[in-house]
Coordinates of all heavy atoms in Angstrom, one line a residue:
A1 N 0.4 10.7 5.6 CA 1.5 10.4 6.6 C 2.9 10.7 6.0 O 3.7 11.3 6.7 CB 1.4 9.0 7.0
M2 N 3.1 10.4 4.7 CA 4.4 10.6 4.1 C 4.7 12.1 3.9 O 5.8 12.6 4.1 CB 4.4 9.9 2.7 CG 4.5 8.4 2.8 SD 4.3 7.6 1.2 CE 5.7 8.2 0.3
L3 N 3.6 12.9 3.6 CA 3.7 14.3 3.5 C 4.1 14.9 4.9 O 4.9 15.8 5.0 CB 2.5 15.0 2.9 CG 2.2 14.7 1.5 CD1 0.8 15.3 1.1 CD2 3.3 15.4 0.6
V4 N 3.4 14.4 5.9 CA 3.7 15.0 7.3 C 5.1 14.6 7.6 O 5.9 15.4 8.2 CB 2.7 14.3 8.3 CG1 3.1 14.7 9.7 CG2 1.3 14.8 8.1
G5 N 5.6 13.4 7.4 CA 6.9 12.9 7.7 C 8.0 13.7 6.9 O 9.1 13.9 7.4
F6 N 7.6 14.2 5.7 CA 8.5 15.0 4.9 C 8.8 16.4 5.5 O 9.9 16.9 5.5 CB 8.0 15.2 3.5 CG 8.9 15.9 2.5 CD1 9.9 15.2 2.0 CD2 8.7 17.2 2.3 CE1 10.8 15.9 1.1 CE2 9.5 17.9 1.4 CZ 10.6 17.2 0.8
F7 N 7.8 17.0 6.2 CA 7.9 18.3 6.7 C 8.2 18.3 8.2 O 8.8 19.3 8.7 CB 6.7 19.1 6.5 CG 6.5 19.4 5.0 CD1 5.5 18.8 4.3 CD2 7.2 20.4 4.4 CE1 5.3 19.1 2.9 CE2 7.0 20.7 3.1 CZ 6.0 20.1 2.3
F8 N 7.8 17.2 8.9 CA 8.1 17.2 10.4 C 8.7 15.9 10.8 O 8.4 14.9 10.2 CB 6.7 17.3 11.1 CG 5.9 18.5 10.7 CD1 4.9 18.4 9.8 CD2 6.2 19.8 11.3 CE1 4.1 19.6 9.4 CE2 5.4 20.9 10.9 CZ 4.4 20.8 10.0
E9 N 9.6 16.0 11.7 CA 10.3 14.9 12.3 C 9.5 14.4 13.5 O 9.6 15.0 14.6 CB 11.7 15.2 12.7 CG 12.6 15.5 11.5 CD 14.1 15.6 11.9 OE1 14.4 15.3 13.1 OE2 14.9 16.0 11.1
I10 N 8.7 13.3 13.3 CA 7.9 12.8 14.4 C 8.4 11.4 14.7 O 8.4 10.5 13.9 CB 6.4 12.7 14.0 CG1 5.9 14.1 13.6 CG2 5.5 12.1 15.1 CD1 4.5 14.2 13.1
T11 N 8.7 11.2 16.0 CA 9.2 9.9 16.4 C 8.2 8.8 16.2 O 7.1 8.9 16.6 CB 9.6 9.9 17.9 OG1 10.5 11.0 18.2 CG2 10.2 8.6 18.4
G12 N 8.7 7.7 15.6 CA 7.8 6.6 15.3 C 7.0 6.6 14.1 O 6.3 5.7 13.7
L13 N 7.0 7.8 13.4 CA 6.1 8.0 12.2 C 6.6 7.1 11.1 O 5.8 6.4 10.4 CB 6.1 9.4 11.8 CG 5.2 9.7 10.5 CD1 3.7 9.3 10.8 CD2 5.3 11.2 10.1
Q14 N 7.9 7.0 10.9 CA 8.4 6.2 9.8 C 8.1 4.7 10.1 O 7.8 4.0 9.1 CB 10.0 6.4 9.7 CG 10.6 5.6 8.5 CD 10.0 6.0 7.2 OE1 9.9 7.2 6.9 NE2 9.6 5.0 6.4
L15 N 8.2 4.3 11.3 CA 7.8 2.9 11.7 C 6.4 2.7 11.4 O 6.0 1.6 10.8 CB 8.1 2.7 13.2 CG 7.8 1.3 13.7 CD1 8.8 0.2 13.0 CD2 8.0 1.2 15.2
A16 N 5.5 3.6 11.7 CA 4.1 3.5 11.4 C 3.8 3.4 9.9 O 2.9 2.6 9.5 CB 3.3 4.6 12.1
I17 N 4.5 4.3 9.1 CA 4.3 4.3 7.7 C 4.7 3.0 7.1 O 4.0 2.4 6.2 CB 5.1 5.5 7.1 CG1 4.5 6.8 7.5 CG2 5.1 5.3 5.5 CD1 5.3 8.0 7.0
S18 N 5.9 2.4 7.5 CA 6.4 1.2 7.0 C 5.4 0.0 7.3 O 5.1 -0.8 6.5 CB 7.7 0.8 7.6 OG 8.7 1.8 7.2
A19 N 4.9 0.0 8.6 CA 3.9 -1.0 8.9 C 2.6 -0.9 8.1 O 2.0 -1.9 7.7 CB 3.6 -0.9 10.4
G20 N 2.2 0.4 7.9 CA 1.1 0.6 7.1 C 1.2 0.1 5.7 O 0.3 -0.4 5.1
F21 N 2.4 0.3 5.1 CA 2.7 -0.1 3.7 C 2.7 -1.7 3.7 O 2.3 -2.2 2.6 CB 4.0 0.4 3.2 CG 3.8 1.6 2.4 CD1 4.2 2.9 2.8 CD2 3.3 1.5 1.1 CE1 4.0 4.0 2.0 CE2 3.1 2.6 0.2 CZ 3.4 3.9 0.7
V22 N 3.1 -2.3 4.7 CA 3.0 -3.8 4.7 C 1.6 -4.3 4.6 O 1.3 -5.2 3.9 CB 3.7 -4.3 6.0 CG1 3.4 -5.8 6.2 CG2 5.2 -4.1 6.0
L23 N 0.7 -3.7 5.4 CA -0.7 -4.0 5.4 C -1.3 -3.6 4.1 O -2.1 -4.4 3.5 CB -1.4 -3.3 6.5 CG -1.1 -3.7 8.0 CD1 -1.8 -2.9 9.0 CD2 -1.4 -5.2 8.2
F24 N -1.0 -2.5 3.6 CA -1.5 -1.9 2.3 C -1.1 -2.9 1.1 O -1.9 -3.3 0.3 CB -1.0 -0.5 2.0 CG -1.4 0.1 0.7 CD1 -2.7 0.5 0.6 CD2 -0.5 0.1 -0.3 CE1 -3.1 1.1 -0.7 CE2 -0.9 0.7 -1.5 CZ -2.2 1.1 -1.7
S25 N 0.2 -3.2 1.1 CA 0.7 -4.1 0.0 C 0.0 -5.5 0.1 O -0.3 -6.1 -0.9 CB 2.2 -4.2 0.1 OG 2.8 -3.0 0.0
S26 N -0.1 -6.0 1.3 CA -0.8 -7.3 1.5 C -2.2 -7.3 1.0 O -2.7 -8.2 0.4 CB -0.8 -7.7 3.0 OG 0.6 -7.8 3.5
A27 N -2.9 -6.2 1.3 CA -4.3 -6.0 0.9 C -4.4 -6.0 -0.6 O -5.3 -6.6 -1.3 CB -5.0 -4.8 1.5
C28 N -3.4 -5.3 -1.2 CA -3.3 -5.2 -2.7 C -3.1 -6.6 -3.3 O -3.7 -6.9 -4.4 CB -2.2 -4.2 -3.1 SG -2.6 -2.5 -2.8
I29 N -2.3 -7.4 -2.7 CA -2.0 -8.7 -3.3 C -3.3 -9.6 -3.2 O -3.7 -10.3 -4.2 CB -0.9 -9.4 -2.5 CG1 0.4 -8.7 -2.8 CG2 -0.8 -10.9 -2.9 CD1 1.6 -9.2 -1.9
L30 N -4.0 -9.5 -2.1 CA -5.3 -10.2 -2.0 C -6.3 -9.7 -3.0 O -6.9 -10.5 -3.7 CB -5.9 -10.0 -0.6 CG -5.2 -10.7 0.6 CD1 -5.7 -10.2 1.9 CD2 -5.3 -12.3 0.5
Y31 N -6.4 -8.4 -3.2 CA -7.4 -7.8 -4.1 C -7.0 -8.1 -5.5 O -7.9 -8.5 -6.3 CB -7.3 -6.3 -3.8 CG -8.3 -5.6 -4.7 CD1 -9.7 -5.4 -4.4 CD2 -7.9 -4.9 -5.9 CE1 -10.6 -4.7 -5.2 CE2 -8.8 -4.2 -6.7 CZ -10.1 -4.1 -6.3 OH -11.0 -3.4 -7.1
Q32 N -5.8 -8.0 -5.9 CA -5.4 -8.2 -7.3 C -5.5 -9.7 -7.7 O -5.9 -10.0 -8.8 CB -3.9 -7.8 -7.5 CG -3.8 -6.2 -7.4 CD -2.4 -5.8 -7.0 OE1 -1.5 -6.6 -6.6 NE2 -2.1 -4.5 -7.2
T33 N -5.1 -10.6 -6.8 CA -5.3 -12.0 -7.1 C -6.7 -12.4 -7.2 O -7.1 -13.1 -8.1 CB -4.6 -12.9 -6.0 OG1 -3.3 -12.5 -5.8 CG2 -4.6 -14.4 -6.3
S34 N -7.5 -11.9 -6.3 CA -9.0 -12.1 -6.4 C -9.6 -11.6 -7.7 O -10.5 -12.2 -8.3 CB -9.7 -11.5 -5.2 OG -11.1 -11.6 -5.3
A35 N -9.1 -10.5 -8.1 CA -9.6 -9.8 -9.4 C -9.4 -10.8 -10.6 O -10.2 -10.8 -11.5 CB -9.0 -8.5 -9.6
I36 N -8.2 -11.4 -10.6 CA -7.9 -12.4 -11.6 C -8.8 -13.5 -11.7 O -9.5 -13.9 -12.7 CB -6.5 -12.8 -11.6 CG1 -5.5 -11.7 -11.7 CG2 -6.2 -13.9 -12.7 CD1 -4.0 -12.0 -11.4
I37 N -9.0 -14.2 -10.5 CA -9.8 -15.5 -10.5 C -11.3 -15.2 -10.6 O -12.0 -16.1 -10.9 CB -9.4 -16.3 -9.3 CG1 -9.9 -15.6 -8.0 CG2 -8.0 -16.6 -9.2 CD1 -9.7 -16.5 -6.7
H38 N -11.7 -14.0 -10.4 CA -13.2 -13.7 -10.5 C -13.5 -12.9 -11.7 O -14.6 -12.4 -11.9 CB -13.7 -13.0 -9.2 CG -13.7 -13.8 -8.0 ND1 -14.7 -14.8 -7.8 CD2 -12.9 -13.9 -6.9 CE1 -14.4 -15.4 -6.7 NE2 -13.4 -14.8 -6.1
G39 N -12.5 -12.8 -12.6 CA -12.8 -12.2 -13.9 C -12.7 -10.7 -14.0 O -13.0 -10.1 -15.0
G40 N -12.3 -10.1 -12.9 CA -12.3 -8.6 -12.8 C -11.0 -8.1 -13.6 O -11.0 -6.9 -13.9
E41 N -10.0 -8.9 -13.7 CA -8.8 -8.5 -14.4 C -8.5 -9.5 -15.5 O -8.2 -10.7 -15.2 CB -7.6 -8.4 -13.4 CG -6.3 -8.0 -14.1 CD -6.4 -6.7 -14.8 OE1 -6.2 -5.6 -14.1 OE2 -6.5 -6.7 -16.1
R42 N -8.6 -9.1 -16.7 CA -8.4 -10.1 -17.9 C -7.1 -9.8 -18.6 O -6.8 -10.5 -19.5 CB -9.6 -10.0 -18.8 CG -10.9 -10.5 -18.2 CD -10.8 -12.0 -17.9 NE -12.1 -12.5 -17.3 CZ -13.0 -13.1 -18.1 NH1 -12.8 -13.2 -19.4 NH2 -14.1 -13.6 -17.5
N43 N -6.4 -8.8 -18.2 CA -5.2 -8.4 -18.9 C -4.0 -8.8 -18.0 O -3.7 -8.3 -17.0 CB -5.1 -6.9 -19.2 CG -3.9 -6.5 -20.1 OD1 -2.8 -6.5 -19.6 ND2 -4.2 -6.3 -21.4
Y44 N -3.2 -9.8 -18.5 CA -2.1 -10.3 -17.7 C -1.0 -9.4 -17.5 O -0.2 -9.5 -16.5 CB -1.7 -11.7 -18.2 CG -0.9 -11.6 -19.5 CD1 0.5 -11.6 -19.4 CD2 -1.5 -11.6 -20.7 CE1 1.3 -11.6 -20.6 CE2 -0.7 -11.6 -21.9 CZ 0.7 -11.5 -21.8 OH 1.4 -11.5 -22.9

């Protein structure tokens, strides 16, 4: 989506990308925290 947005001006694409990154970052926080408490990540 970022590559498409770089070459083409599509209305609402930036809004969709930002919203997507909010969901993506939230999922990463859940995943990374879970990895710590379940022993998947031992390096602080």
